Amino acid sequence: MAEYRVLLVDDEEEFVSALSERLMLRGIEVDSALNGEEALARLVEKEFEVVILDVMMPGLGGLEVLRQIKSTHPDTQVILLTGHGSTREGIEGMRLGAFDYLIKPVDIEEMLEKMKEAAKTVRTS
Amino acid sequence: MDKKVEELFRVKEIGFMGKVTASLSHEIKNTLAIINESAGLMGDLLRKDAPEDWPQYSRLANLLASIEDQVQRSADIVKRLNQFAHSMDKSLAELDLNETVRQTVILAQRFAILRRVNLETQLEPKPLHLQSDPFRLLYVIFGFIERAINCSPREAEVRVKTERSGEMFQVTVTDQGTFEADNLRELVSTSPSAEGEKAESDLAILAQTTEALGGTIAAEQEDGGLNKVILSFPARVPGR
């Protein structure tokens, strides 16, 4: 049985597909969404301990999705994915309640470590 | 065109360049992320299903590792590009001169490598906070580093030092190259209103930009063949 459930949210389909498969190979239960609206709909259908959320998406942007998740699912931990070298979105995201942020391209071991820490806080809360 | 309007146009043009560059660098990061995960997945599947005694196993594993290394290398380059792009966001900002010099040296490093010149830094241990135009400051410091690299022989060293000198913040570029102190002093002191080749030379424009930042330039040659260009900047750009 998977240790925790993760929702992966990014508008790049190939990125989502490859990363989802890599996480599943490591025993993690993964679901995915290609935009913010789809992500919020998924969260209504199912509980996720961790959301991996791209900041820059067309339509409903990552930071707005984060705001809504923290409002409707305060226990769900969000780890932001940002492409920017300057970490402005990361810092703004932390202020909005994100657990942490990662800069693309991501090292999968680093991502796994952060997801584990995030999931731990959900289980102990 | 009125000088003030011209200046405003220049600020807007630079801001446009910065905005588009930052956007493009973000798109490149997305494609690098796809390549990274795809190569990573290939590695995962290889380790999971391919027999280790398969003749192509280690070759494929090495190629995938090489792809991941190059992805990281590209990501570092894009990070520098993005930082460079963001230097164009504002025409006045609070800066740490050490960080500006660090960023400039990173940008100049490839030029130094191509000329087989060693580019080193000697930064003041404490931050050197000042208010200035980030892009113009970068442009001036880069310009003098480039000059030093271009006139240096192979294997020579160009050193970039930062320090506080009274109320001013200094960047000293030292090189071991061919140096004509009088020529350099004449070019950097060329008036903006002068006409002809001298006024338009790169050094004259660098000098005028330094002046626009409230700074000054001094050029010296020391015994032993060390040449120094000392850029001094105030804590605040006058009149801004």
Side-chain angles (χ1 to χ4, degrees):
Chain A
M1 190 173 130
E3 284 181 56
Y4 48 87
R5 288 171 299 255
V6 175
L7 176 63
L8 177 55
V9 187
D10 194 297
D11 60 301
E12 294 282 357
E13 198 168 345
E14 286 175 76
F15 172 75
V16 166
S17 170
L19 182 54
S20 292
E21 195 169 344
R22 297 189 76 192
L23 292 174
M24 285 189 284
L25 282 170
R26 286 157 172 83
I28 293 166
E29 189 180 325
V30 184
D31 207 337
S32 62
L34 297 178
N35 58 62
E37 291 88 350
E38 204 182 316
L40 293 171
R42 285 272 191 283
L43 282 160
V44 170
E45 295 161 7
K46 208 172 169 185
E47 290 280 332
F48 294 93
E49 280 83 6
V50 181
V51 176
I52 305 289
L53 176 62
D54 185 29
V55 171
M56 285 288 191
M57 292 187 293
L60 202 60
L63 292 180
E64 180 53 36
V65 173
L66 167 63
R67 205 177 273 121
Q68 292 194 35
I69 292 174
K70 293 320 275 182
S71 159
T72 54
H73 299 83
D75 291 337
T76 299
Q77 292 289 20
V78 179
I79 297 171
L80 296 173
L81 287 180
T82 173
H84 281 271
S86 77
T87 54
R88 268 180 285 199
E89 283 90 9
I91 291 164
E92 175 64 11
M94 300 301 284
R95 199 187 61 77
L96 290 171
F99 179 77
D100 208 330
Y101 65 87
L102 292 162
I103 297 172
K104 286 178 172 180
V106 179
D107 176 86
I108 197 166
E109 298 305 323
E110 191 187 351
M111 179 184 270
L112 286 167
E113 202 49 53
K114 287 200 198 277
M115 286 193 319
K116 214 171 167 180
E117 284 168 31
K120 221 187 271 182
T121 66
V122 175
R123 286 197 294 272
T124 56
S125 67
Chain B
M1 195 186 282
D2 179 63
K3 264 207 157 169
K4 261 191 175 171
V5 173
E6 208 175 306
E7 173 66 15
L8 179 63
F9 269 41
R10 197 201 71 90
V11 166
K12 292 294 181 188
E13 282 163 1
I14 287 175
F16 162 69
M17 221 167 58
K19 189 194 285 189
V20 171
T21 306
S23 172
L24 289 172
S25 74
H26 180 86
E27 283 198 63
I28 293 171
K29 279 284 188 96
N30 273 343
T31 62
L32 286 174
I34 292 169
I35 294 167
N36 193 53
E37 291 313 318
S38 300
L41 180 57
M42 286 164 72
D44 289 347
L45 294 172
L46 189 73
R47 281 182 290 276
K48 179 175 172 275
D49 290 332
E52 280 195 39
D53 60 355
W54 177 43
Q56 303 299 338
Y57 185 98
S58 65
R59 189 163 171 234
L60 269 178
N62 289 339
L63 285 168
L64 288 169
S66 170
I67 290 172
E68 287 172 359
D69 288 345
Q70 292 303 318
V71 162
Q72 194 49 58
R73 185 180 161 208
S74 292
D76 290 342
I77 293 167
V78 170
K79 183 181 171 184
R80 280 180 242 151
L81 179 63
N82 198 51
Q83 283 173 338
F84 176 64
H86 281 298
S87 72
M88 304 177 212
D89 285 349
K90 294 178 184 175
S91 60
L92 195 66
E94 298 291 334
L95 305 166
D96 174 5
L97 185 62
N98 283 337
E99 273 313 304
T100 301
V101 167
R102 211 172 267 127
Q103 187 186 353
T104 316
V105 165
I106 287 171
L107 292 173
Q109 204 58 261
R110 176 120 184 103
F111 295 84
I113 288 168
L114 288 171
R115 299 271 307 187
R116 303 257 200 268
V117 165
N118 301 315
L119 182 53
E120 302 288 342
T121 53
Q122 187 182 335
L123 303 181
E124 173 71 35
K126 290 184 192 164
L128 298 172
H129 293 299
L130 50 66
Q131 192 188 64
S132 191
D133 183 323
F135 179 70
R136 275 183 169 166
L137 192 60
L138 222 153
Y139 165 69
V140 162
I141 298 169
F142 183 93
F144 281 103
I145 293 174
E146 189 186 22
R147 184 215 137 261
I149 289 170
N150 288 345
C151 68
S152 289
R154 277 187 167 211
E155 311 306 329
E157 184 182 273
V158 169
R159 182 166 286 267
V160 187
K161 182 179 170 186
T162 59
E163 62 191 324
R164 186 161 187 160
S165 176
E167 293 300 309
M168 300 296 272
F169 299 87
Q170 286 186 342
V171 178
T172 303
V173 182
T174 308
D175 69 78
Q176 298 164 300
T178 53
F179 182 84
E180 293 168 22
D182 292 339
N183 192 32
L184 181 63
R185 277 192 284 268
E186 189 188 349
L187 281 170
V188 301
S189 62
T190 301
S191 159
S193 61
E195 286 174 6
E197 219 177 282
K198 279 187 187 165
E200 292 170 3
S201 78
D202 290 345
L203 279 176
I205 292 169
L206 284 175
Q208 289 159 34
T209 309
T210 305
E211 196 180 320
L213 294 173
T216 59
I217 304 172
E220 295 171 6
Q221 189 171 39
E222 291 186 348
D223 292 337
L226 274 183
N227 312 305
K228 278 185 178 178
V229 171
I230 305 163
L231 310 170
S232 299
F233 301 100
R236 295 274 181 271
V237 179
R240 300 276 307 268

mmCIF file of all heavy atoms in Angstrom, chain B residues 24-60:
data_model
loop_
_atom_site.group_PDB
_atom_site.id
_atom_site.type_symbol
_atom_site.label_atom_id
_atom_site.label_comp_id
_atom_site.label_asym_id
_atom_site.label_seq_id
_atom_site.Cartn_x
_atom_site.Cartn_y
_atom_site.Cartn_z
ATOM 1 N N LEU B 24 11.213 33.631 -21.922
ATOM 2 C CA LEU B 24 11.814 32.559 -22.739
ATOM 3 C C LEU B 24 12.626 31.613 -21.862
ATOM 4 O O LEU B 24 12.603 30.385 -22.062
ATOM 5 C CB LEU B 24 12.711 33.168 -23.822
ATOM 6 C CG LEU B 24 11.976 33.900 -24.951
ATOM 7 C CD1 LEU B 24 12.968 34.633 -25.844
ATOM 8 C CD2 LEU B 24 11.142 32.947 -25.788
ATOM 9 N N SER B 25 13.328 32.149 -20.876
ATOM 10 C CA SER B 25 14.131 31.282 -20.011
ATOM 11 C C SER B 25 13.230 30.357 -19.212
ATOM 12 O O SER B 25 13.573 29.206 -18.954
ATOM 13 C CB SER B 25 15.060 32.099 -19.108
ATOM 14 O OG SER B 25 14.349 32.712 -18.069
ATOM 15 N N HIS B 26 12.045 30.841 -18.860
ATOM 16 C CA HIS B 26 11.088 29.987 -18.150
ATOM 17 C C HIS B 26 10.625 28.831 -19.038
ATOM 18 O O HIS B 26 10.532 27.683 -18.598
ATOM 19 C CB HIS B 26 9.884 30.815 -17.689
ATOM 20 C CG HIS B 26 8.870 30.005 -16.945
ATOM 21 N ND1 HIS B 26 8.942 29.776 -15.595
ATOM 22 C CD2 HIS B 26 7.778 29.329 -17.374
ATOM 23 C CE1 HIS B 26 7.924 29.012 -15.223
ATOM 24 N NE2 HIS B 26 7.199 28.720 -16.276
ATOM 25 N N GLU B 27 10.375 29.140 -20.323
ATOM 26 C CA GLU B 27 9.954 28.089 -21.268
ATOM 27 C C GLU B 27 11.057 27.053 -21.455
ATOM 28 O O GLU B 27 10.780 25.852 -21.550
ATOM 29 C CB GLU B 27 9.615 28.714 -22.622
ATOM 30 C CG GLU B 27 8.272 29.409 -22.640
ATOM 31 C CD GLU B 27 7.775 29.634 -24.060
ATOM 32 O OE1 GLU B 27 7.541 28.661 -24.787
ATOM 33 O OE2 GLU B 27 7.628 30.817 -24.423
ATOM 34 N N ILE B 28 12.295 27.518 -21.525
ATOM 35 C CA ILE B 28 13.415 26.582 -21.677
ATOM 36 C C ILE B 28 13.465 25.653 -20.459
ATOM 37 O O ILE B 28 13.695 24.441 -20.581
ATOM 38 C CB ILE B 28 14.754 27.328 -21.839
ATOM 39 C CG1 ILE B 28 14.768 28.095 -23.165
ATOM 40 C CG2 ILE B 28 15.936 26.361 -21.794
ATOM 41 C CD1 ILE B 28 15.953 29.045 -23.312
ATOM 42 N N LYS B 29 13.246 26.223 -19.260
ATOM 43 C CA LYS B 29 13.250 25.403 -18.046
ATOM 44 C C LYS B 29 12.210 24.282 -18.126
ATOM 45 O O LYS B 29 12.438 23.164 -17.677
ATOM 46 C CB LYS B 29 12.945 26.266 -16.810
ATOM 47 C CG LYS B 29 14.120 27.038 -16.251
ATOM 48 C CD LYS B 29 15.062 26.132 -15.475
ATOM 49 C CE LYS B 29 16.140 26.862 -14.729
ATOM 50 N NZ LYS B 29 15.817 27.104 -13.315
ATOM 51 N N ASN B 30 11.052 24.587 -18.680
ATOM 52 C CA ASN B 30 9.999 23.571 -18.818
ATOM 53 C C ASN B 30 10.449 22.434 -19.726
ATOM 54 O O ASN B 30 10.225 21.261 -19.428
ATOM 55 C CB ASN B 30 8.709 24.193 -19.363
ATOM 56 C CG ASN B 30 7.833 24.767 -18.249
ATOM 57 O OD1 ASN B 30 8.010 24.441 -17.075
ATOM 58 N ND2 ASN B 30 6.900 25.631 -18.612
ATOM 59 N N THR B 31 11.095 22.772 -20.852
ATOM 60 C CA THR B 31 11.546 21.703 -21.760
ATOM 61 C C THR B 31 12.669 20.903 -21.107
ATOM 62 O O THR B 31 12.741 19.684 -21.270
ATOM 63 C CB THR B 31 12.006 22.243 -23.127
ATOM 64 O OG1 THR B 31 13.127 23.102 -22.937
ATOM 65 C CG2 THR B 31 10.911 22.991 -23.836
ATOM 66 N N LEU B 32 13.532 21.571 -20.347
ATOM 67 C CA LEU B 32 14.601 20.848 -19.642
ATOM 68 C C LEU B 32 14.000 19.883 -18.618
ATOM 69 O O LEU B 32 14.500 18.771 -18.433
ATOM 70 C CB LEU B 32 15.534 21.825 -18.922
ATOM 71 C CG LEU B 32 16.492 22.620 -19.808
ATOM 72 C CD1 LEU B 32 17.251 23.646 -18.979
ATOM 73 C CD2 LEU B 32 17.467 21.699 -20.530
ATOM 74 N N ALA B 33 12.927 20.303 -17.979
ATOM 75 C CA ALA B 33 12.265 19.434 -16.992
ATOM 76 C C ALA B 33 11.715 18.183 -17.670
ATOM 77 O O ALA B 33 11.814 17.083 -17.119
ATOM 78 C CB ALA B 33 11.142 20.197 -16.291
ATOM 79 N N ILE B 34 11.159 18.344 -18.872
ATOM 80 C CA ILE B 34 10.623 17.197 -19.616
ATOM 81 C C ILE B 34 11.760 16.243 -19.988
ATOM 82 O O ILE B 34 11.670 15.033 -19.796
ATOM 83 C CB ILE B 34 9.868 17.652 -20.882
ATOM 84 C CG1 ILE B 34 8.586 18.396 -20.498
ATOM 85 C CG2 ILE B 34 9.531 16.457 -21.784
ATOM 86 C CD1 ILE B 34 7.910 19.122 -21.655
ATOM 87 N N ILE B 35 12.851 16.800 -20.518
ATOM 88 C CA ILE B 35 14.001 15.973 -20.904
ATOM 89 C C ILE B 35 14.542 15.238 -19.673
ATOM 90 O O ILE B 35 14.860 14.042 -19.718
ATOM 91 C CB ILE B 35 15.113 16.833 -21.547
ATOM 92 C CG1 ILE B 35 14.635 17.423 -22.878
ATOM 93 C CG2 ILE B 35 16.386 16.008 -21.771
ATOM 94 C CD1 ILE B 35 15.527 18.525 -23.425
ATOM 95 N N ASN B 36 14.640 15.963 -18.564
ATOM 96 C CA ASN B 36 15.170 15.394 -17.328
ATOM 97 C C ASN B 36 14.338 14.215 -16.842
ATOM 98 O O ASN B 36 14.873 13.149 -16.494
ATOM 99 C CB ASN B 36 15.196 16.489 -16.250
ATOM 100 C CG ASN B 36 16.013 16.085 -15.043
ATOM 101 O OD1 ASN B 36 17.158 15.686 -15.164
ATOM 102 N ND2 ASN B 36 15.417 16.196 -13.873
ATOM 103 N N GLU B 37 13.020 14.391 -16.817
ATOM 104 C CA GLU B 37 12.148 13.314 -16.327
ATOM 105 C C GLU B 37 12.118 12.146 -17.308
ATOM 106 O O GLU B 37 12.099 10.984 -16.889
ATOM 107 C CB GLU B 37 10.725 13.822 -16.081
ATOM 108 C CG GLU B 37 10.598 14.789 -14.917
ATOM 109 C CD GLU B 37 11.306 14.334 -13.657
ATOM 110 O OE1 GLU B 37 11.231 13.124 -13.311
ATOM 111 O OE2 GLU B 37 11.946 15.188 -13.004
ATOM 112 N N SER B 38 12.134 12.433 -18.595
ATOM 113 C CA SER B 38 12.119 11.363 -19.606
ATOM 114 C C SER B 38 13.391 10.522 -19.508
ATOM 115 O O SER B 38 13.335 9.289 -19.528
ATOM 116 C CB SER B 38 11.979 11.950 -21.008
ATOM 117 O OG SER B 38 10.775 12.672 -21.111
ATOM 118 N N ALA B 39 14.532 11.198 -19.385
ATOM 119 C CA ALA B 39 15.805 10.468 -19.251
ATOM 120 C C ALA B 39 15.818 9.692 -17.935
ATOM 121 O O ALA B 39 16.276 8.548 -17.874
ATOM 122 C CB ALA B 39 16.985 11.439 -19.306
ATOM 123 N N GLY B 40 15.300 10.329 -16.892
ATOM 124 C CA GLY B 40 15.229 9.664 -15.594
ATOM 125 C C GLY B 40 14.362 8.418 -15.645
ATOM 126 O O GLY B 40 14.721 7.373 -15.084
ATOM 127 N N LEU B 41 13.244 8.510 -16.358
ATOM 128 C CA LEU B 41 12.344 7.356 -16.493
ATOM 129 C C LEU B 41 13.028 6.242 -17.280
ATOM 130 O O LEU B 41 12.924 5.066 -16.917
ATOM 131 C CB LEU B 41 11.042 7.778 -17.178
ATOM 132 C CG LEU B 41 9.994 6.690 -17.403
ATOM 133 C CD1 LEU B 41 9.605 6.004 -16.083
ATOM 134 C CD2 LEU B 41 8.748 7.266 -18.070
ATOM 135 N N MET B 42 13.739 6.618 -18.323
ATOM 136 C CA MET B 42 14.484 5.612 -19.099
ATOM 137 C C MET B 42 15.476 4.897 -18.194
ATOM 138 O O MET B 42 15.615 3.667 -18.250
ATOM 139 C CB MET B 42 15.218 6.276 -20.272
ATOM 140 C CG MET B 42 14.284 6.691 -21.402
ATOM 141 S SD MET B 42 15.038 7.851 -22.553
ATOM 142 C CE MET B 42 16.184 6.803 -23.401
ATOM 143 N N GLY B 43 16.159 5.632 -17.346
ATOM 144 C CA GLY B 43 17.106 5.032 -16.404
ATOM 145 C C GLY B 43 16.408 4.111 -15.420
ATOM 146 O O GLY B 43 16.875 3.002 -15.139
ATOM 147 N N ASP B 44 15.262 4.560 -14.924
ATOM 148 C CA ASP B 44 14.506 3.730 -13.976
ATOM 149 C C ASP B 44 14.104 2.407 -14.617
ATOM 150 O O ASP B 44 14.249 1.336 -14.008
ATOM 151 C CB ASP B 44 13.216 4.459 -13.548
ATOM 152 C CG ASP B 44 13.476 5.650 -12.631
ATOM 153 O OD1 ASP B 44 14.604 5.780 -12.125
ATOM 154 O OD2 ASP B 44 12.539 6.454 -12.435
ATOM 155 N N LEU B 45 13.599 2.474 -15.863
ATOM 156 C CA LEU B 45 13.131 1.267 -16.555
ATOM 157 C C LEU B 45 14.311 0.349 -16.894
ATOM 158 O O LEU B 45 14.200 -0.871 -16.821
ATOM 159 C CB LEU B 45 12.359 1.648 -17.828
ATOM 160 C CG LEU B 45 11.039 2.387 -17.577
ATOM 161 C CD1 LEU B 45 10.430 2.905 -18.883
ATOM 162 C CD2 LEU B 45 10.033 1.500 -16.859
ATOM 163 N N LEU B 46 15.411 0.955 -17.242
ATOM 164 C CA LEU B 46 16.626 0.184 -17.541
ATOM 165 C C LEU B 46 17.052 -0.611 -16.307
ATOM 166 O O LEU B 46 17.294 -1.820 -16.374
ATOM 167 C CB LEU B 46 17.738 1.137 -17.974
ATOM 168 C CG LEU B 46 19.021 0.531 -18.534
ATOM 169 C CD1 LEU B 46 18.773 -0.024 -19.922
ATOM 170 C CD2 LEU B 46 20.130 1.588 -18.600
ATOM 171 N N ARG B 47 17.098 0.071 -15.180
ATOM 172 C CA ARG B 47 17.543 -0.593 -13.935
ATOM 173 C C ARG B 47 16.528 -1.651 -13.493
ATOM 174 O O ARG B 47 16.893 -2.665 -12.919
ATOM 175 C CB ARG B 47 17.748 0.439 -12.819
ATOM 176 C CG ARG B 47 19.050 1.196 -12.910
ATOM 177 C CD ARG B 47 19.221 2.165 -11.743
ATOM 178 N NE ARG B 47 18.304 3.294 -11.808
ATOM 179 C CZ ARG B 47 18.540 4.402 -12.524
ATOM 180 N NH1 ARG B 47 19.643 4.516 -13.221
ATOM 181 N NH2 ARG B 47 17.661 5.397 -12.532
ATOM 182 N N LYS B 48 15.276 -1.393 -13.799
ATOM 183 C CA LYS B 48 14.216 -2.309 -13.334
ATOM 184 C C LYS B 48 14.156 -3.574 -14.188
ATOM 185 O O LYS B 48 14.060 -4.676 -13.660
ATOM 186 C CB LYS B 48 12.868 -1.579 -13.392
ATOM 187 C CG LYS B 48 11.660 -2.383 -12.969
ATOM 188 C CD LYS B 48 10.400 -1.507 -12.941
ATOM 189 C CE LYS B 48 9.144 -2.333 -12.711
ATOM 190 N NZ LYS B 48 8.587 -2.901 -13.950
ATOM 191 N N ASP B 49 14.217 -3.406 -15.519
ATOM 192 C CA ASP B 49 13.903 -4.536 -16.401
ATOM 193 C C ASP B 49 15.065 -5.088 -17.226
ATOM 194 O O ASP B 49 15.005 -6.226 -17.671
ATOM 195 C CB ASP B 49 12.765 -4.142 -17.369
ATOM 196 C CG ASP B 49 11.432 -3.994 -16.634
ATOM 197 O OD1 ASP B 49 11.264 -4.668 -15.607
ATOM 198 O OD2 ASP B 49 10.572 -3.194 -17.084
ATOM 199 N N ALA B 50 16.068 -4.266 -17.496
ATOM 200 C CA ALA B 50 17.127 -4.753 -18.389
ATOM 201 C C ALA B 50 18.128 -5.597 -17.600
ATOM 202 O O ALA B 50 18.543 -5.188 -16.511
ATOM 203 C CB ALA B 50 17.835 -3.590 -19.060
ATOM 204 N N PRO B 51 18.518 -6.756 -18.145
ATOM 205 C CA PRO B 51 19.533 -7.563 -17.451
ATOM 206 C C PRO B 51 20.869 -6.832 -17.480
ATOM 207 O O PRO B 51 21.245 -6.263 -18.503
ATOM 208 C CB PRO B 51 19.583 -8.861 -18.268
ATOM 209 C CG PRO B 51 19.016 -8.508 -19.598
ATOM 210 C CD PRO B 51 18.102 -7.340 -19.429
ATOM 211 N N GLU B 52 21.588 -6.868 -16.377
ATOM 212 C CA GLU B 52 22.855 -6.132 -16.301
ATOM 213 C C GLU B 52 23.925 -6.686 -17.226
ATOM 214 O O GLU B 52 24.878 -5.983 -17.552
ATOM 215 C CB GLU B 52 23.354 -6.109 -14.855
ATOM 216 C CG GLU B 52 22.611 -5.033 -14.052
ATOM 217 C CD GLU B 52 23.283 -4.693 -12.745
ATOM 218 O OE1 GLU B 52 24.522 -4.637 -12.698
ATOM 219 O OE2 GLU B 52 22.536 -4.462 -11.762
ATOM 220 N N ASP B 53 23.735 -7.948 -17.660
ATOM 221 C CA ASP B 53 24.737 -8.514 -18.570
ATOM 222 C C ASP B 53 24.388 -8.231 -20.035
ATOM 223 O O ASP B 53 25.074 -8.675 -20.947
ATOM 224 C CB ASP B 53 24.888 -10.032 -18.352
ATOM 225 C CG ASP B 53 23.576 -10.768 -18.597
ATOM 226 O OD1 ASP B 53 22.542 -10.107 -18.842
ATOM 227 O OD2 ASP B 53 23.572 -12.014 -18.529
ATOM 228 N N TRP B 54 23.337 -7.445 -20.254
ATOM 229 C CA TRP B 54 23.001 -7.024 -21.609
ATOM 230 C C TRP B 54 24.146 -6.144 -22.102
ATOM 231 O O TRP B 54 24.544 -5.200 -21.404
ATOM 232 C CB TRP B 54 21.673 -6.252 -21.577
ATOM 233 C CG TRP B 54 21.218 -5.683 -22.875
ATOM 234 C CD1 TRP B 54 21.254 -6.289 -24.089
ATOM 235 C CD2 TRP B 54 20.668 -4.393 -23.085
ATOM 236 N NE1 TRP B 54 20.758 -5.458 -25.047
ATOM 237 C CE2 TRP B 54 20.376 -4.282 -24.470
ATOM 238 C CE3 TRP B 54 20.363 -3.319 -22.252
ATOM 239 C CZ2 TRP B 54 19.824 -3.141 -25.028
ATOM 240 C CZ3 TRP B 54 19.813 -2.188 -22.814
ATOM 241 C CH2 TRP B 54 19.548 -2.095 -24.194
ATOM 242 N N PRO B 55 24.665 -6.403 -23.306
ATOM 243 C CA PRO B 55 25.865 -5.693 -23.769
ATOM 244 C C PRO B 55 25.741 -4.167 -23.769
ATOM 245 O O PRO B 55 26.704 -3.461 -23.520
ATOM 246 C CB PRO B 55 26.069 -6.218 -25.204
ATOM 247 C CG PRO B 55 25.385 -7.534 -25.241
ATOM 248 C CD PRO B 55 24.251 -7.452 -24.259
ATOM 249 N N GLN B 56 24.563 -3.665 -24.034
ATOM 250 C CA GLN B 56 24.410 -2.200 -24.145
ATOM 251 C C GLN B 56 24.022 -1.538 -22.822
ATOM 252 O O GLN B 56 23.849 -0.316 -22.773
ATOM 253 C CB GLN B 56 23.333 -1.854 -25.192
ATOM 254 C CG GLN B 56 23.584 -2.424 -26.581
ATOM 255 C CD GLN B 56 24.876 -1.898 -27.190
ATOM 256 O OE1 GLN B 56 25.379 -0.849 -26.799
ATOM 257 N NE2 GLN B 56 25.436 -2.653 -28.127
ATOM 258 N N TYR B 57 23.909 -2.341 -21.757
ATOM 259 C CA TYR B 57 23.397 -1.816 -20.482
ATOM 260 C C TYR B 57 24.219 -0.623 -19.975
ATOM 261 O O TYR B 57 23.699 0.467 -19.757
ATOM 262 C CB TYR B 57 23.364 -2.922 -19.422
ATOM 263 C CG TYR B 57 22.739 -2.493 -18.110
ATOM 264 C CD1 TYR B 57 21.403 -2.783 -17.823
ATOM 265 C CD2 TYR B 57 23.471 -1.779 -17.156
ATOM 266 C CE1 TYR B 57 20.815 -2.388 -16.647
ATOM 267 C CE2 TYR B 57 22.890 -1.378 -15.966
ATOM 268 C CZ TYR B 57 21.568 -1.689 -15.716
ATOM 269 O OH TYR B 57 20.989 -1.289 -14.533
ATOM 270 N N SER B 58 25.531 -0.859 -19.813
ATOM 271 C CA SER B 58 26.336 0.214 -19.182
ATOM 272 C C SER B 58 26.465 1.407 -20.127
ATOM 273 O O SER B 58 26.514 2.564 -19.679
ATOM 274 C CB SER B 58 27.701 -0.289 -18.734
ATOM 275 O OG SER B 58 28.452 -0.668 -19.843
ATOM 276 N N ARG B 59 26.494 1.115 -21.427
ATOM 277 C CA ARG B 59 26.597 2.223 -22.386
ATOM 278 C C ARG B 59 25.365 3.125 -22.295
ATOM 279 O O ARG B 59 25.473 4.351 -22.237
ATOM 280 C CB ARG B 59 26.727 1.651 -23.791
ATOM 281 C CG ARG B 59 27.043 2.710 -24.778
ATOM 282 C CD ARG B 59 27.571 2.176 -26.084
ATOM 283 N NE ARG B 59 27.626 3.305 -27.001
ATOM 284 C CZ ARG B 59 27.061 3.346 -28.191
ATOM 285 N NH1 ARG B 59 26.412 2.284 -28.635
ATOM 286 N NH2 ARG B 59 27.166 4.407 -28.950
ATOM 287 N N LEU B 60 24.184 2.492 -22.243
ATOM 288 C CA LEU B 60 22.938 3.264 -22.137
ATOM 289 C C LEU B 60 22.881 4.024 -20.808
ATOM 290 O O LEU B 60 22.480 5.184 -20.763
ATOM 291 C CB LEU B 60 21.722 2.345 -22.250
ATOM 292 C CG LEU B 60 21.197 2.148 -23.676
ATOM 293 C CD1 LEU B 60 20.025 1.188 -23.678
ATOM 294 C CD2 LEU B 60 20.741 3.482 -24.267
#
